[in-house]
Amino acid sequence: TETPRYKPTESASNLTITNITATTMELRWERGNGNGVAVIANEGEAIDIEAIRDSVEIWNPYSNEYGTGPNFVNGTVVYTGYQDSVVVKNLNPLSTYHFAVVEYNQYYLSTGYVTYYRTQSVPVKSAKTLAGKKYFWVGGSGTWSEFSKHWATTSGGKAFHSTIPGSGDDVVFDAKSFTAPDQYVLIDT
């Protein structure tokens, strides 16, 4: 039986998505009046707000890495807590992600914890991750972390990236990568 007096009366609002990369996005929102907030994410499909039901789950702080939190409705929990922002990590390049920010009140009753969700006016938003950068190995043998000597922006190029490749980037070894036989790349990170 639902008990409306336990639900938050104000939803989170003004959800924004910024600082989008190939594998991360930053979400910010204004808090409602729940004693916690859950951020739910789904790759490729909108969050089914109508499927949210009050539950007996205990919300613990979850990793902000997509896919590592518990499933909830048709998404994955990427944040629970009291703050008004999170950087979601572990996203796939060139993929659309849908987010919902749901205020909740969690109480300890004689039977255990009960969580009541505010499902009206839930802020939802989607955004697409960027393509990864292309990193071309040049200069023969070397160490992976030496980005200013070996990770060029073009094949055989002399302009270099300012960081090593990340998980969403493409790494290219081609005919212009090595200058002699038996050259190697030492992975040091």
Side-chain angles (χ1 to χ4, degrees), residues 37 72 82 85 138 155:
V37 64
F72 187 67
Y82 316 102
S85 66
V138 297
S155 178

Side-chain angles (χ1 to χ4, degrees), residues 16-96:
T16 61
I17 303 174
T18 60
N19 299 322
I20 299 169
T21 71
T23 59
T24 65
M25 293 182 187
E26 181 177 0
L27 281 67
R28 293 191 170 279
W29 58 89
E30 291 179 19
R31 285 293 315 273
N33 66 349
N35 63 20
V37 64
V39 178
I40 305 163
N42 193 1
E43 182 179 3
E45 183 180 347
I47 304 298
D48 185 3
I49 301 301
E50 298 299 317
I52 296 173
R53 299 287 179 256
D54 296 332
S55 71
V56 294
E57 296 183 52
I58 298 175
W59 287 111
N60 295 311
Y62 291 106
S63 168
N64 60 339
E65 293 190 12
Y66 181 75
T68 63
N71 292 332
F72 187 67
V73 293
N74 64 325
T76 299
V77 176
V78 292
Y79 176 79
T80 59
Y82 316 102
Q83 302 299 320
D84 60 2
S85 66
V86 65
V87 175
V88 181
K89 301 177 180 181
N90 201 34
L91 304 175
N92 292 318
L94 293 175
S95 295
T96 300

Side-chain angles (χ1 to χ4, degrees), residues 72-139:
F72 187 67
V73 293
N74 64 325
T76 299
V77 176
V78 292
Y79 176 79
T80 59
Y82 316 102
Q83 302 299 320
D84 60 2
S85 66
V86 65
V87 175
V88 181
K89 301 177 180 181
N90 201 34
L91 304 175
N92 292 318
L94 293 175
S95 295
T96 300
Y97 287 86
H98 300 266
F99 298 94
V101 179
V102 182
E103 289 283 335
Y104 63 83
N105 281 334
Q106 188 173 73
Y107 298 96
Y108 184 77
L109 305 177
S110 61
T111 56
Y113 283 96
V114 177
T115 306
Y116 297 96
Y117 304 98
R118 168 86 180 167
T119 57
Q120 294 80 25
S121 304
V122 171
V124 294
K125 196 157 269 207
S126 63
K128 188 173 184 176
T129 50
L130 303 176
K133 296 178 185 174
K134 282 201 172 194
Y135 282 71
F136 294 86
W137 183 267
V138 297

